[in-house]
Amino acid sequence: MDIIHRNGIWMAETLQQGTKSYENFWLVLSHLGDPKAAFLLVFPFTYFISKRVGIAVVWVAAISEWLNVVFKWMLFGERPFWWIGENELITKVHQFPSTCETGPGSPSGHAMITAAVWWVVITAVSKFIYAKTNSVVLTSVPYLLYAALLVVVGLSRIYILAHFPHQVFAGAFTGVILGVVLGKTIPEGRPLLFFFKMSFGLLISAVLINLALQEIGINLSWSIALAKKWCSRPEWIRLDTAPFSSITRDCGALLGLGLAQSWRPAGFSMPLAPRALSLAFSSMGLYHVHRLPLPVKPQLLFYSLFFVKFVIVPPLVMVLVPGAVHFFTNKRKRD
């Protein structure tokens, strides 16, 4: 593995040295691939175009990220930014605020969730294009863009020293498989009890897996210790990058999806202008929800509030904002 890791560091160094003027480009791509972006950006955008695709985005993102955390616990992947320090490697690479994630590195969560979520979106776009044009060539264009997205998001993660190339490839490959499989099991119209069971079932399962691994002598906090030791700046270590933050985010989003569908099973039928208005207000609402500061101590309180924060996301997008827009636009028509 040392050879693979050294080659990965060489690739990161080559990227950083060769594309210095594109640093902001790589940082934006890294944020675009963040699993949070699936819930806060991709979900509202897709939902107001196609309700089914929007629901699929939350479903696929939540299950994929949960699996990613479990894989990371079991695969013990190193991250470049701490591997360099542990091996006293002399390089010209440097870290960024988004470098210092605290979970293990394999497989890449950004690559895995991006691949899974965007597979569902691209597949829907391709089907729409084929239905309108009956052209195989035009239908293939979204898949080419999808492949390009996976490549640049993967390179961005290598660039900032968050992952090695083989971890990015493993994440993307697994994500495509999950996108294909989970895209066929979209829980549209399922009762609230189903989502309640899924949410708390996954949460309890994660806790039990964690306890079982610790019981057999596996120290799951090893990556957190290394991240704190080798991160360039202490403030770059954030609790929301810890594995259990991902778990609570996914379980919260699933429960929120169930609540939204139970409150308004058919959603709101609106023409283009009100939908665009709903998207704008939803995006602003999600921005402020995301920016809400949470106390980091005690950690149980943080994880509980983090869970609640993402429970809010689907109802805000699917019920609260479009409901308000629907009410006021209809009232204006009546007046």
Side-chain angles (χ1 to χ4, degrees), residues 161-206:
L161 300 180
H163 289 288
F164 290 100
H166 70 281
Q167 296 170 344
V168 167
F169 177 80
F173 180 76
T174 309
V176 172
I177 295 173
L178 287 173
V180 173
V181 174
L182 295 174
K184 298 176 182 178
T185 61
I186 301 170
E188 195 175 18
R190 291 282 197 136
L192 178 59
L193 183 61
F194 168 81
F195 292 97
F196 184 87
K197 289 179 178 178
M198 284 296 300
S199 176
F200 287 97
L202 291 178
L203 182 60
I204 293 169
S205 296

Side-chain angles (χ1 to χ4, degrees), residues 75-97:
L75 295 176
F76 307 102
E78 305 278 359
R79 286 190 186 265
F81 77 92
W82 72 55
W83 190 86
I84 290 171
E86 288 293 294
N87 289 273
E88 300 179 346
L89 201 64
I90 299 175
T91 68
K92 297 179 181 178
V93 294
H94 58 279
Q95 299 177 18
F96 301 89

